[in-house]
Amino acid sequence: DAGVIQSPRHEVTEMGQEVTLRCKPISGHDYLFWYRQTMMRGLELLIYFNNNVPIDDSGMPEDRFSAKMPNASFSTLKIQPSEPRDSAVYFCASKGQGGALGEQFFGPGTRLTVL
Amino acid sequence: TQLLEQSPQFLSIQEGENLTVYCNSSSVFSSLQWYRQEPGEGPVLLVTVVTGGEVKKLKRLTFQFGDARKDSSLHITAAQPGDTGLYLCAGVWDDMRFGAGTRLTVKP
């Protein structure tokens, strides 16, 4: 199993540009999560999907952030326009039908730097 | 607002020492998970605890869930450099939220 795949691994962009982060969850997993990690705020849940449907997006910081899951094998997190304070490592994770006790499998993350 | 408080935030020790890190909340958890994250990688699950008072062991790591299910501890015996990493607890309520983590460095 390839695990959760994220791309790109590193992204450097200038303020005001659009950024799109991509995630391929583990095949067969029903849940997909997007997190943001910074030294100041730790690991924050941004949004999660169940069966491709967004369930909780209360962690999305503002309207500049949007996430989609058009099918079971692909999700995107878009930031438009990007700002320097968006610089962080963004993780995607997926989980199977284990319910609340199920293990989340994390991807390697995308390190975003907004100049 | 962090629902989970982890302490200490940073810990640096010598190889062979023992250590304990803590995860606390004012709310009762349905269950709690501990993850370890190494530099440049995503967190990896170590253990899930469900029952108040539960103790689980994973080689040199001992995890304990508080009787009231509001807190948990992770004890490492005879720490090794390979234990270096960020230790995160994640509390499960209606959803799952992570603490800020304890960053452990074990020096050879």
Side-chain angles (χ1 to χ4, degrees):
Chain A
D1 195 331
V4 176
I5 299 173
Q6 290 187 248
S7 65
R9 291 295 310 275
H10 302 273
E11 177 80 31
V12 180
T13 190
E14 293 187 344
M15 182 175 63
Q17 296 297 308
E18 176 181 304
V19 175
T20 299
L21 310 181
R22 297 172 175 80
C23 175
K24 177 179 169 55
I26 292 173
S27 178
H29 281 189
D30 301 281
Y31 290 84
L32 184 140
F33 305 80
W34 281 102
Y35 292 88
R36 177 172 68 177
Q37 187 175 41
T38 61
M39 287 294 291
M40 291 295 295
R41 300 175 66 87
L43 193 63
E44 301 174 277
L45 176 65
L46 300 177
I47 185 172
Y48 78 93
F49 297 82
N50 182 21
N51 291 320
N52 313 338
V53 177
I55 303 300
D56 183 357
D57 65 354
S58 60
M60 296 285 262
E62 49 197 273
D63 292 345
R64 298 184 297 107
F65 286 69
S66 63
K68 295 182 179 180
M69 192 165 186
N71 57 63
S73 60
F74 184 67
S75 178
T76 59
L77 177 68
K78 183 179 293 187
I79 308 172
Q80 180 184 24
S82 58
E83 297 182 4
R85 61 192 168 122
D86 301 330
S87 296
V89 181
Y90 290 81
F91 287 101
C92 174
S94 70
K95 181 165 78 75
Q97 274 290 346
L101 299 182
E103 175 181 359
Q104 290 193 24
F105 292 83
F106 284 78
T110 295
R111 181 174 294 277
L112 173 65
T113 303
V114 184
L115 303 174
Chain B
T1 301
Q2 286 285 356
L3 299 178
L4 291 167
E5 296 287 338
Q6 288 193 246
S7 61
Q9 189 176 1
F10 298 95
L11 185 58
S12 181
I13 61 172
Q14 292 295 135
E15 182 176 3
E17 293 183 7
N18 301 332
L19 67 114
T20 303
V21 298
Y22 301 92
C23 176
N24 296 288
S25 174
S26 58
S27 303
V28 175
F29 304 116
S30 299
S31 63
L32 185 138
Q33 297 181 332
W34 284 93
Y35 288 76
R36 182 170 71 199
Q37 183 179 14
E38 298 187 14
E41 299 181 7
V44 176
L45 180 67
L46 295 174
V47 77
T48 300
V49 287
V50 180
T51 306
E54 181 177 3
V55 176
K56 282 192 174 179
K57 292 193 174 183
L58 185 65
K59 297 183 180 178
R60 294 177 293 100
L61 279 60
T62 302
F63 304 85
Q64 184 161 8
F65 202 12
D67 291 341
R69 306 208 322 273
K70 292 184 178 181
D71 56 87
S72 181
S73 64
L74 159 58
H75 181 80
I76 301 178
T77 303
Q80 299 178 359
D83 297 326
T84 293
L86 178 67
Y87 289 82
L88 296 160
C89 66
V92 180
W93 295 275
D94 293 334
D95 56 15
M96 191 166 85
R97 302 286 170 168
F98 283 82
T102 293
R103 194 167 297 276
L104 171 66
T105 301
V106 182
K107 301 175 183 177

